[in-house]
Amino acid sequence: MKLKTKLLLSVIGLALLTTVFLIGSQSYFNNKEVNLASDKCYQKGGQPNVEMAFLTLDYSFSCDEK
């Protein structure tokens, strides 16, 4: 393989690895945040309502207090 081809493949591989890491980090911290908010909602006597969006890694949270 030529040096340019190896360099290009290395850059593409690094970009892919970085993207996977960032998506995984966002998902992990969203999960932690939802769990913390849910625990606080339960402590207040409420019922958490969470809607997750898959493609945007976003969520909507509300606490329905009784």
Side-chain angles (χ1 to χ4, degrees):
M1 285 179 127
K2 293 182 180 180
L3 182 60
K4 288 184 179 181
T5 306
K6 287 182 181 180
L7 183 62
L8 180 63
L9 288 176
S10 297
V11 168
I12 291 172
L14 183 61
L16 183 62
L17 186 63
T18 302
T19 302
V20 169
F21 174 76
L22 290 174
I23 290 172
S25 296
Q26 180 72 29
S27 179
Y28 173 78
F29 286 113
N30 278 352
N31 187 27
K32 287 292 191 182
E33 192 172 14
V34 167
N35 285 341
L36 180 64
S38 294
D39 289 343
K40 288 186 178 187
C41 182
Y42 283 129
Q43 287 176 357
K44 290 171 46 176
Q47 182 69 29
N49 183 14
V50 180
E51 295 178 17
M52 303 291 277
F54 176 69
L55 291 177
T56 60
L57 294 175
D58 198 16
Y59 66 91
S60 173
F61 181 86
S62 65
C63 182
D64 301 327
E65 295 184 34
K66 296 177 181 178

